[in-house]
Amino acid sequence: MNNETNNSALQDQELIEKFLKDTTLFLGPDPEIMRDHSIMPRTPEEEKAMETFTDLNQIASIRDRLQSACEEGFEMVEQMGAAPGAKWGDIITGIYSASGDLTIGSAGGVLIFSALVHHPIKFIIKNWIDEKTVGVSSGDGFIHNDSRYGNVHNTDQSMILPVFHEGKLVCWVASTVHEGECGAIEPGGMPSMAETSFDEGLKMSPFKVVENYEIKRDLLTFLQNSVREPKLQYEDMKVKLFACMRLEKRIKEVLATDGPDALTACLRYTNESVVTEVRRRISEWPDMTVRTQTIMDSTLRENALLKVNLAVIKKGDRLIFDFSGTSPELTNRAINTQLPGMKGMVGQAFMNHIWPDLPRGQAGLSPVEFVTQPGTLVDCSYSAPNSQSLMSIFHSFTVAQHACAKFLYSCPDKYTRVLAPWHNMINTFIWGGVNQHGETLGNLCADLNGMGGGARMDRDGEHALSPIFATMADIGEQEMNEEEVPFLQLVSKKMTANTQAPGKYRGGMGYTMIAATKDSEQWGFMTTTQGSKVPTIQGLFGGYAGGSYPLCKVQGVDVYEVLLENPKLFKHSIHEIMNEQPFPNARYTTHHMGMGFDISKRGELYMISQGSGGGYGDPLERDPTYVIMDIEEGLISPEWAKQLYKVEFNETTLVVDDEATEKLRAEYREQRKKQGMPYAEFVKKHVKDHPPENIPFYGAWNGDNEVIYAGSLDDKRDAQNPGPIYVTHPKDVRIAELEAKLAAARKDAGLPPENERK
């Protein structure tokens, strides 16, 4: 009787589980998948393969062939892709284990993708392989872009293919491209005006769009109908598909020569050996805690101070990144980041700057532990918009790079050169509208790929070298861009003078960009960048941060007419145009860099500057010869050189007066000593009990990470459960200001309030 009862109960339970599975309302983002960044446990197939294949030379040979395949796929996408992101290297191709772990990624491209695309593959494995209406077969292809299922933001699209051998799944391949246009509320794919996730355009959970290696026309039409650039959507889907097919071809060549067990062993051994090596390297770091922070200075729609807080704790072979105390998420602002994106950016700091010799795979981050408070900027809820996650995600890179530099410096043997933080913002133009050919477009310039490099421990940083997310990306050819868009960059790639971050070694500098629409009346620009009021990075060991970079506009002028009639009026730098104001009757204004989409008029100037990397060491220790070299190259003016570096020289001959320089620096050091004070006195004078009263501040204060401020002194929240924070629409703020002024004017005039008028 008991056995019958137990069997009946078991059957009932199985029926209930089958019913629940068959009637699931919605397969939303899976926290079990999304919050785990580690490699999967060994499967029985991997155990067998690891026992069978132990020849490391054979494994190394296979790995080299797979790495070459990834480079080949990368080149295919870069050469054939239609999106600016494809053309300039904002892409990656990779090979994933049968369990979905990225093992080998292309050396070039956006390495953060390598730490993210395993999430959608694991979603496919969990939900679609055994789903009778979907399934996974040879020749299938899945598309994906939604960051909540594993990506940076919606403008990035992935194509994912399974690879089979004799009917058995052996691995996966994928290609990801920053496509740009994705049908969002603003053109170009990164809308700063998004107030909900539904304003952000396409939100593709992983779904099958390819069967028998052919794109399904019905789904393609749906996707094309959902974006402003149907041609772009179609062309790059094909490009990513063919790159994946080429990867599959190269993998099948390995299968033909070495067999599936050898491939499986190679993938598993690669991941496990990287995990082992990362733990060994961590164990060589000193046991200590390093704390750092950065400040975001806007929501892209209003000024505010938002804190990204980090403590890096190292004990034995454990490395913990604790982001407690970071600003809470803003429920109706697009600057939030999903947890996998933040982890991916930390992983990218390791792959690009800390241990760049390790294979480009998921395993490099796998042993690192993370502590976050859910509902914050770096671990936002699934309902929060995140189309501008780069604002907070890049700060995650900076605090990781800044903290780890101190660990590297503390190691007796330095295998990685210590350097100050890289510039971290997307200083560029996002654009959209109808171009000179009558086509509707929306995308961005590749100028963001020229971020200034941080100063190194033994030399200056490199100018406009690369973005933090892609060491071998390209800044593009402006002339090629102008064939497709109706604006010119009247100044492009000219180093912006007097923007360097000083130090014993100065940071690499960024360039000036001055753009003006020419051949369209339906065209506009966006700029979506932090750092107009507060620098987004720090210097290192006495070096200074880069500067702040506002947006400047000149309206009420047609610069093309000026160039035809009196070209000498045009100046080739922002400071000359803004200070000299050469165009009569024009309006000269400065703004923060969170400009929403703005319809431009012919010949009006939009002017921005790429940022500079951080400085390293005390500026008073800078070799005067380097200071003079910067003056000769137009990177810094003589006045700035004397002020920053305390160097005396003849401004005509640029000959340094060594004796006067030493005297000037010695006097300044004495001045520093007089300005100094004991630490306790400094704390008493400068450390306050609460944030500033007149600036909205978000995040923890004074080390209490369990309480966070939410925009005002009166709004304190539990860090573990901050709840929603809604920011008033800027237009409503302005309307309220004008209504208050109108009410005051009516009162002064003796008139009744507006709502009492008859």
Side-chain angles (χ1 to χ4, degrees):
M1 185 70 178
N2 288 336
N3 289 337
E4 291 180 3
T5 302
N6 291 337
N7 289 336
S8 177
L10 183 61
Q11 291 174 358
D12 290 344
Q13 182 64 33
E14 290 174 349
L15 287 172
I16 292 171
E17 290 177 359
K18 183 178 185 302
F19 172 79
L20 292 174
K21 182 178 179 181
D22 293 342
T23 58
T24 299
L25 176 63
F26 172 54
L27 289 172
D30 190 329
E32 183 179 313
I33 294 173
M34 297 305 298
R35 301 193 73 84
D36 186 3
H37 64 281
S38 57
I39 63 172
M40 299 292 286
R42 280 192 190 184
T43 64
E45 292 79 9
E46 289 172 330
E47 289 279 5
K48 174 177 174 291
M50 293 286 284
E51 292 175 2
T52 305
F53 288 88
T54 58
D55 185 348
L56 297 185
N57 290 324
Q58 182 184 15
I59 288 175
S61 174
I62 294 172
R63 184 166 55 240
D64 288 345
R65 293 169 68 182
L66 298 179
Q67 186 68 60
S68 296
C70 289
E71 307 312 323
E72 184 181 6
F74 178 90
E75 290 292 333
M76 289 178 65
V77 178
E78 190 173 38
Q79 295 300 322
M80 297 190 299
K87 295 174 183 175
W88 316 134
D90 290 356
I91 56 181
I92 200 170
T93 56
I95 299 172
Y96 301 73
S97 70
S99 299
D101 295 329
L102 175 68
T103 305
I104 300 172
S106 55
V110 181
L111 298 180
I112 187 174
F113 295 152
S114 66
L116 294 178
V117 180
H118 67 98
H119 294 296
I121 294 177
K122 290 168 182 174
F123 180 92
I124 295 168
I125 293 171
K126 183 174 182 177
N127 295 290
W128 296 154
I129 284 183
D130 297 324
E131 167 56 51
K132 62 183 179 181
T133 64
V134 185
V136 176
S137 303
S138 180
D140 286 349
F142 294 80
I143 198 170
H144 158 261
N145 81 323
D146 191 343
S147 61
R148 300 174 303 164
Y149 292 83
N151 222 327
V152 180
H153 48 183
N154 284 6
T155 190
D156 302 321
Q157 295 188 23
S158 301
M159 180 67 72
I160 303 166
L161 265 66
V163 179
F164 286 82
H165 178 73
E166 297 179 353
K168 185 176 181 180
L169 178 68
V170 292
C171 65
W172 301 77
V173 296
S175 175
T176 305
V177 176
H178 178 106
E179 294 293 354
E181 173 54 37
C182 63
I185 192 173
E186 295 174 290
M190 295 187 289
S192 55
M193 296 295 177
E195 295 211 352
T196 72
S197 60
F198 304 106
D199 296 329
E200 297 178 320
L202 287 171
K203 299 192 88 66
M204 297 185 288
S205 57
F207 69 94
K208 189 188 297 185
V209 74
V210 174
E211 287 184 344
N212 295 320
Y213 302 104
E214 292 186 356
I215 296 174
K216 299 177 70 173
R217 195 75 194 200
D218 56 343
L219 295 178
L220 170 64
T221 301
F222 160 71
L223 294 173
Q224 290 178 295
N225 191 52
S226 302
V227 299
R228 295 174 179 85
E229 290 197 59
K231 180 177 69 174
L232 168 67
Q233 184 67 35
Y234 183 28
E235 182 171 348
D236 277 3
M237 284 175 66
K238 290 197 297 182
V239 169
K240 290 193 291 284
L241 172 60
F242 286 120
C244 288
M245 290 170 63
R246 181 62 60 86
L247 285 172
E248 181 189 48
K249 178 182 178 181
R250 299 303 183 216
I251 291 169
K252 288 188 174 181
E253 291 171 355
V254 171
L255 292 170
T257 57
D258 296 81
D261 286 350
L263 173 70
T264 299
C266 173
L267 297 179
R268 187 69 203 183
Y269 179 84
T270 298
N271 276 339
E272 290 188 359
S273 61
V274 170
V275 169
T276 300
E277 174 62 10
V278 168
R279 290 201 181 279
R280 185 195 68 79
R281 294 186 183 191
I282 291 172
S283 67
E284 291 192 352
W285 287 9
D287 284 357
M288 63 181 188
T289 297
V290 174
R291 295 179 176 85
T292 186
Q293 67 179 51
T294 56
I295 294 293
M296 300 165 56
D297 65 4
S298 84
T299 70
L300 298 182
R301 302 184 69 183
E302 47 268 309
N303 295 319
L305 299 179
L306 303 105
K307 185 178 185 181
V308 177
N309 200 46
L310 176 64
V312 180
I313 304 120
K314 187 270 177 180
K315 296 180 180 179
D317 65 353
R318 295 182 64 195
L319 189 62
I320 304 165
F321 282 75
D322 187 347
F323 282 87
S324 298
T326 293
S327 164
E329 71 177 47
L330 301 186
T331 309
N332 62 336
R333 291 294 179 265
I335 59 174
N336 308 292
T337 292
Q338 291 288 329
L339 176 62
M342 179 273 283
K343 290 180 179 179
M345 191 56 71
V346 173
Q348 191 159 257
F350 279 94
M351 286 184 281
N352 278 351
H353 292 87
I354 300 167
W355 294 323
D357 59 312
L358 291 178
R360 263 50 172 171
Q362 176 189 342
L365 186 67
S366 184
V368 179
E369 303 170 45
F370 290 86
V371 175
T372 60
Q373 294 163 323
T376 55
L377 283 181
V378 297
D379 186 4
C380 71
S381 62
Y382 291 138
S383 61
N386 58 33
S387 52
Q388 281 294 347
S389 63
L390 297 188
M391 299 301 102
S392 48
I393 206 173
F394 284 172
H395 281 260
S396 302
F397 180 100
T398 294
V399 290
Q401 183 190 14
H402 188 245
C404 288
K406 298 183 179 182
F407 281 97
L408 292 171
Y409 183 84
S410 301
C411 293
D413 297 318
K414 296 176 176 57
Y415 301 103
T416 303
R417 178 175 283 138
V418 180
L419 75 163
W422 218 261
H423 184 65
N424 65 1
M425 277 290 117
I426 51 171
N427 296 37
T428 191
F429 292 110
I430 302 173
W431 41 257
V434 179
N435 72 355
Q436 65 269 40
H437 308 299
E439 300 174 308
T440 301
L441 305 178
N443 225 295
L444 81 172
C445 297
D447 299 306
L448 77 161
N449 286 351
M451 295 177 180
R456 293 159 285 188
M457 63 188 300
D458 56 358
R459 66 187 68 184
D460 290 342
E462 296 287 346
H463 304 313
L465 181 59
S466 69
I468 58 175
F469 52 80
T471 52
M472 287 177 276
D474 191 359
I475 58 176
E477 298 295 334
Q478 182 57 30
E479 291 78 7
M480 290 180 62
N481 197 42
E482 289 167 0
E483 293 177 1
E484 300 179 0
V485 296
F487 69 90
L488 304 181
Q489 283 205 18
L490 301 170
V491 176
S492 177
K493 319 301 185 289
K494 176 186 177 183
M495 291 297 125
T496 306
N498 292 337
T499 60
Q500 65 181 238
K504 178 179 181 180
Y505 299 104
R506 54 134 180 86
M509 295 172 60
Y511 40 66
T512 295
M513 295 160 275
I514 301 179
T517 299
K518 184 175 183 289
D519 297 317
S520 175
E521 295 181 357
Q522 302 178 65
W523 193 260
F525 296 102
M526 294 171 58
T527 56
T528 53
T529 305
Q530 302 280 342
S532 302
K533 297 182 179 297
V534 179
T536 59
I537 63 170
Q538 313 97 319
L540 188 64
F541 300 141
Y544 284 74
S548 54
Y549 309 94
L551 163 71
C552 299
K553 293 184 190 179
V554 182
Q555 296 170 295
V557 65
D558 185 341
V559 73
Y560 297 110
E561 293 297 325
V562 172
L563 291 172
L564 288 173
E565 297 172 3
N566 190 358
K568 292 183 179 180
L569 286 179
F570 183 78
K571 307 296 181 182
H572 288 77
S573 69
I574 297 174
H575 70 269
E576 287 177 302
I577 291 175
M578 295 302 293
N579 292 333
E580 298 178 20
Q581 301 190 1
F583 312 121
N585 303 318
R587 298 187 303 279
Y588 300 82
T589 57
T590 58
H591 312 262
H592 67 70
M593 285 276 281
M595 180 180 70
F597 187 70
D598 186 36
I599 297 294
S600 61
K601 295 182 180 179
R602 172 186 162 95
E604 294 184 337
L605 300 181
Y606 291 75
M607 305 184 292
I608 61 177
S609 175
Q610 181 57 273
S612 299
Y616 186 106
D618 188 346
L620 294 186
E621 296 180 4
R622 184 163 179 77
D623 188 332
T625 303
Y626 294 159
V627 177
I628 299 302
M629 288 174 60
D630 283 349
I631 295 174
E632 291 175 328
E633 294 177 13
L635 302 178
I636 190 171
S637 66
E639 297 78 16
W640 276 60
K642 291 182 177 181
Q643 179 181 349
L644 293 176
Y645 296 109
K646 308 304 178 186
V647 176
E648 279 293 342
F649 55 88
N650 185 301
E651 293 193 25
T652 302
T653 64
L654 297 182
V655 174
V656 175
D657 186 332
D658 292 327
E659 185 176 337
T661 296
E662 285 301 319
K663 180 181 178 182
L664 186 63
R665 289 181 168 182
E667 291 174 350
Y668 191 68
R669 288 189 176 96
E670 290 301 317
Q671 180 181 332
R672 283 179 173 177
K673 293 177 183 178
K674 293 177 181 178
Q675 291 173 331
M677 62 181 68
Y679 179 72
E681 185 179 337
F682 175 87
V683 169
K684 184 177 180 180
K685 182 175 181 180
H686 294 287
V687 176
K688 308 298 181 184
D689 294 332
H690 53 75
E693 298 181 12
N694 57 343
I695 304 176
F697 176 85
Y698 298 84
W701 188 264
N702 267 4
D704 182 2
N705 292 337
E706 295 307 313
V707 176
I708 54 177
Y709 287 86
S712 72
L713 298 184
D714 298 328
D715 193 351
K716 294 182 182 180
R717 310 263 180 121
D718 177 4
Q720 300 299 332
N721 186 26
I725 299 173
Y726 287 93
V727 184
T728 306
H729 195 295
K731 288 184 178 179
D732 293 333
V733 173
R734 183 59 177 158
I735 289 171
E737 291 174 350
L738 295 175
E739 287 180 340
K741 290 182 179 180
L742 179 59
R746 292 183 65 85
K747 183 177 181 180
D748 291 343
L751 298 174
E754 183 72 19
N755 58 3
E756 295 181 11
R757 293 176 61 189
K758 295 181 180 179

